[in-house]
Amino acid sequence: MEPRLVGPGPYRATRLWNEIIELFRAGMPLRKHRCRFKSYERCFKGSEAVNCLHELLGSNQNFGPEVTRDQTVKLLKKFLKNHVIEDIKGRWGKEDFQDDGHLYRFPPSSPLKSYPKKPSCGKELIKFPDWNEPKAGSSQEHIPVKSVTMNSEMWYKRHSIALGEVPACKLVFRRKLTQKNVEEIWKSMALSRLQKVLGLDSLDEVLDTKLVNSKHIVQNAYSVNKHGIVTLEDKSKELPHWILSAMKCLANWPSCSDLKQPTYAGFERDVFKTVVDYFDQMKEPLLPFHFFDVFVSVLGLLQKHSKAVEALQISCLLLPPENRKRLQLLVRMMARISLNKDLPPLSESVRNRTLVIQVFSHCILCSKDEIDLDELLAAKLVSFLMDNCQEILSVPSALKSSIEDHVVHLQRVQIKYAGADTDATFLPPSFCHQVSTDKFEYQKATGSQEPLAALLEEIVMNKEMSMKDKKKKLKQFQKSYPEVYRVRFPTPETEAVLFPEKTKQKSPILMWALKKHFQPFHRTRSFRM
């Protein structure tokens, strides 16, 4: 059985659990062993199981080579607890797996986990602001947005309707967006983009969108310092000063500026233990429990680096600001520790990179309910976060720009065409009143001469447009705006220059061949009776 990449989607942890069991059963060598003067068929030693499973996990693209032997032993303990394996006497559950010569075997059938049925919370349709009914008590503060200048291409697209008949339309005046309106727009568009990147039909199975706070998203996007770290409104949620000092000391080792370093050996290990103990006592990981499934789902995209980075950018933007800030500080410290060659080893048995992943993974990601692969999945996620922390833990610029452009669009006066699905946006006029049909026709002919002339010139000079399409568009333009067309083509000769006639002459050889082919049939003497 060949390992396969388990992509994003609901119940990814369960799907991985079932696949690892099947791969382990298919790949674990079974043979005859003796124990206490008795032979046992089709079994294996604990150390053999560790070697086999460790190699299997390391070569599996869902986990990778950074899986340690200690993590493999912990997974085999879970296998024994869940009766995936049993000892040679048939005991499982309360027994403890040993990485030595103890003998184990597979039961007749290792139980695969069934996909849990989550209570249906219904699809949350995030509504856009109701422009006609302003909510009482709404704040009038707004997020700074970029102004949009209209170039010729945008003008052409939005005025292409001028080539035909102008349908009935009306102006739609929209009130000023409130802070709450903008927050809901951010939430709606962020979740929509995340769903698209993950390639899911719905986010319902991986994230309860009702638990996503729109205010947190906006704060994470705009309330940042020059280093890109979130600034908190509630200072009581900041990390204690002594923890920040300890983290800075490790991150900047040996040039620690705000802490006088003692000279005794092992000081750096004591500082590291202080940081580990602080994050160990947290009741919930930095990625809250209700975000577990969506982050595990993102792990299915790690083979597509750019998509994985974008999905994690958006997912981290949904976090509470205090969680996001702690995650930024912790992951940056971990990345610096793993790359700092001047920092002494913080453990006798493993490298600093492996150590920080092991001790902090469960502080960053774990499940509220016991998930058998959560340690391996957390280690995989944290490793990717460390390697790409600067990009992942920054605000996604493409998403921010698209949302700001959308907010600008919604704040403008709209021209709504009858039966149209979309609005054409124009700058708001200083006033607007109804005019007569004759006056409208006069304004249409005189007030739009320059842009219409530019539009006509674009059609004329467009070399990528076929002659057939160009003639069709020019005919439509002439019918709708004869005055503008007459200025550009005052005489038939000026129009004929644009479409020179090509005379085709038949080849003499071809004419001879055709003439010969159609000569009348003459009887010869051989046909006579």
Side-chain angles (χ1 to χ4, degrees):
M1 180 179 178
E2 293 294 328
R4 60 185 178 87
L5 178 65
V6 179
Y11 317 122
R12 185 173 185 270
T14 302
R15 287 184 286 153
L16 285 172
W17 169 266
N18 291 341
E19 174 165 317
I20 289 299
I21 290 177
E22 292 175 349
L23 291 172
F24 182 50
R25 285 184 67 99
M28 181 66 215
L30 304 177
R31 59 189 180 88
K32 183 178 180 180
H33 286 85
R34 290 183 61 86
C35 180
R36 297 180 180 178
F37 308 105
K38 188 175 180 179
S39 297
Y40 297 91
E41 299 288 343
R42 298 181 60 78
C43 58
F44 50 86
K45 294 181 180 179
S47 57
E48 294 173 344
V50 176
N51 293 336
C52 176
L53 185 58
H54 186 222
E55 182 180 353
L56 186 152
L57 293 172
S59 60
N60 191 305
Q61 54 187 334
N62 294 297
F63 299 98
E66 290 195 345
V67 176
T68 64
R69 188 177 182 88
D70 182 61
Q71 291 173 330
T72 306
V73 172
K74 290 180 180 179
L75 180 56
L76 282 165
K77 289 182 178 181
K78 294 182 178 182
F79 279 1
L80 184 59
K81 181 179 179 180
N82 289 275
H83 204 194
V84 176
I85 60 176
E86 61 185 18
D87 68 10
I88 53 174
K89 295 183 179 180
R91 295 175 299 188
W92 58 278
K94 296 182 180 180
E95 302 300 315
D96 190 21
F97 179 84
Q98 302 292 329
D99 182 11
D100 53 20
H102 279 67
L103 297 181
Y104 299 92
R105 66 188 181 193
F106 290 115
S109 62
S110 295
L112 299 180
K113 289 185 177 293
S114 59
Y115 297 128
K117 294 183 179 180
K118 292 188 175 182
S120 178
C121 55
K123 291 187 178 181
E124 182 191 10
L125 298 177
I126 302 174
K127 298 180 179 180
F128 283 95
D130 186 347
W131 310 107
N132 300 320
E133 298 179 2
K135 298 180 180 179
S138 298
S139 171
Q140 293 298 315
E141 297 177 2
H142 63 280
I143 299 301
V145 294
K146 299 188 302 183
S147 60
V148 178
T149 57
M150 188 177 296
N151 53 33
S152 60
E153 182 180 358
M154 293 174 63
W155 192 97
Y156 177 80
K157 290 180 179 179
R158 293 176 179 176
H159 293 72
S160 58
I161 195 170
L163 297 180
E165 296 182 359
V166 180
C169 60
K170 65 177 181 179
L171 287 178
V172 180
F173 292 93
R174 293 182 168 174
R175 63 182 176 84
K176 184 178 180 181
L177 289 179
T178 65
Q179 175 76 3
K180 184 64 176 178
N181 297 150
V182 176
E183 290 169 358
E184 290 303 315
I185 293 171
W186 264 91
K187 177 179 176 179
S188 176
M189 295 187 68
L191 292 177
S192 177
R193 181 58 189 169
L194 178 61
Q195 178 179 326
K196 184 177 180 179
V197 175
L198 292 177
L200 302 178
D201 295 331
S202 172
L203 289 177
D204 290 346
E205 297 295 343
V206 297
L207 177 65
D208 186 354
T209 56
K210 293 180 181 178
L211 300 178
V212 178
N213 191 318
S214 58
K215 185 177 181 180
H216 291 169
I217 302 175
V218 174
Q219 184 176 348
N220 289 334
Y222 290 100
S223 299
V224 295
N225 62 20
K226 62 180 181 180
H227 302 293
I229 304 295
V230 182
T231 57
L232 303 183
E233 297 175 355
D234 187 355
K235 299 305 179 181
S236 64
K237 296 181 179 180
E238 296 277 6
L239 283 172
H241 177 72
W242 53 276
I243 285 294
L244 283 174
S245 297
M247 295 174 71
K248 289 180 181 179
C249 179
L250 293 171
N252 301 316
W253 187 277
S255 57
C256 190
S257 59
D258 61 343
L259 185 66
K260 294 182 179 179
Q261 301 179 26
T263 56
Y264 69 87
F267 167 72
E268 67 283 348
R269 295 189 181 185
D270 290 342
V271 176
F272 181 72
K273 186 177 183 303
T274 300
V275 178
V276 172
D277 290 342
Y278 176 81
F279 283 96
D280 269 341
Q281 52 83 33
M282 294 190 307
K283 296 181 180 180
E284 191 171 5
L286 295 178
L287 306 180
F289 290 135
H290 57 274
F291 284 102
F292 177 81
D293 288 334
V294 71
F295 277 97
V296 170
S297 191
V298 173
L299 290 175
L301 293 174
L302 293 191
Q303 300 298 320
K304 303 175 182 178
H305 184 272
S306 60
K307 283 194 173 183
V309 169
E310 184 180 2
L312 287 173
Q313 277 184 328
I314 301 174
S315 300
C316 291
L317 198 66
L318 308 179
L319 300 174
E322 58 270 18
N323 290 51
R324 179 177 172 87
K325 180 169 186 176
R326 294 186 179 203
L327 181 67
Q328 289 175 318
L329 296 173
L330 178 60
V331 174
R332 289 188 180 189
M333 182 202 74
M334 294 168 62
R336 290 192 179 187
I337 288 177
S338 65
L339 297 174
N340 191 349
K341 297 181 180 179
D342 295 327
L343 182 64
L346 300 174
S347 172
E348 298 291 345
S349 56
V350 295
R351 297 180 299 118
N352 285 349
R353 176 183 173 86
T354 305
L355 178 64
V356 294
I357 293 176
Q358 285 181 352
V359 298
F360 290 119
S361 290
H362 71 282
C363 304
I364 295 176
L365 179 71
C366 69
S367 174
K368 185 176 183 180
D369 303 319
E370 183 179 358
I371 300 295
D372 302 296
L373 294 176
D374 59 352
E375 294 177 358
L376 295 178
L377 297 174
K380 183 76 172 177
L381 176 69
V382 171
S383 177
F384 190 79
L385 276 174
M386 286 173 53
D387 294 336
N388 303 276
C389 61
Q390 293 294 338
E391 190 174 5
I392 291 174
L393 296 176
S394 61
V395 179
S397 56
L399 176 66
K400 184 178 179 182
S401 297
S402 65
I403 294 175
E404 289 176 345
D405 291 344
H406 184 66
V407 170
V408 170
H409 169 81
L410 294 177
Q411 287 180 321
R412 287 178 175 159
V413 173
Q414 308 290 312
I415 292 184
K416 185 72 175 181
Y417 291 98
D421 295 330
T422 57
D423 295 337
T425 305
F426 292 89
L427 293 175
S430 57
F431 65 92
C432 180
H433 61 273
Q434 188 175 4
V435 296
S436 64
T437 304
D438 294 337
K439 192 171 184 178
F440 170 75
E441 292 296 332
Y442 174 78
Q443 290 178 352
K444 183 177 74 170
T446 59
S448 305
Q449 296 290 330
E450 184 175 350
L452 288 174
L455 176 60
L456 178 60
E457 195 64 23
E458 283 191 28
I459 299 175
V460 171
M461 302 304 296
N462 192 335
K463 296 181 179 180
E464 297 180 359
M465 188 182 301
S466 65
M467 286 295 178
K468 183 178 179 181
D469 292 337
K470 187 174 292 188
K471 286 181 179 180
K472 184 178 180 181
K473 288 185 178 294
L474 288 175
K475 188 174 181 180
Q476 291 175 341
F477 193 99
Q478 184 183 20
K479 182 179 178 181
S480 300
Y481 302 100
E483 296 294 332
V484 180
Y485 190 86
R486 194 177 299 115
V487 173
R488 178 62 175 83
F489 300 105
T491 63
E493 289 75 13
T494 57
E495 185 179 10
V497 173
L498 190 61
F499 305 104
E501 295 186 1
K502 296 182 179 179
T503 58
K504 296 184 178 179
Q505 295 183 352
K506 295 184 178 179
S507 171
I509 298 177
L510 179 61
M511 293 296 295
W512 175 82
L514 291 173
K515 183 176 180 181
K516 185 177 181 181
H517 181 72
F518 289 103
Q519 285 182 347
F521 180 77
H522 298 285
R523 290 195 174 200
T524 63
R525 222 176 258 277
S526 60
F527 286 96
R528 294 179 181 178
M529 299 297 296

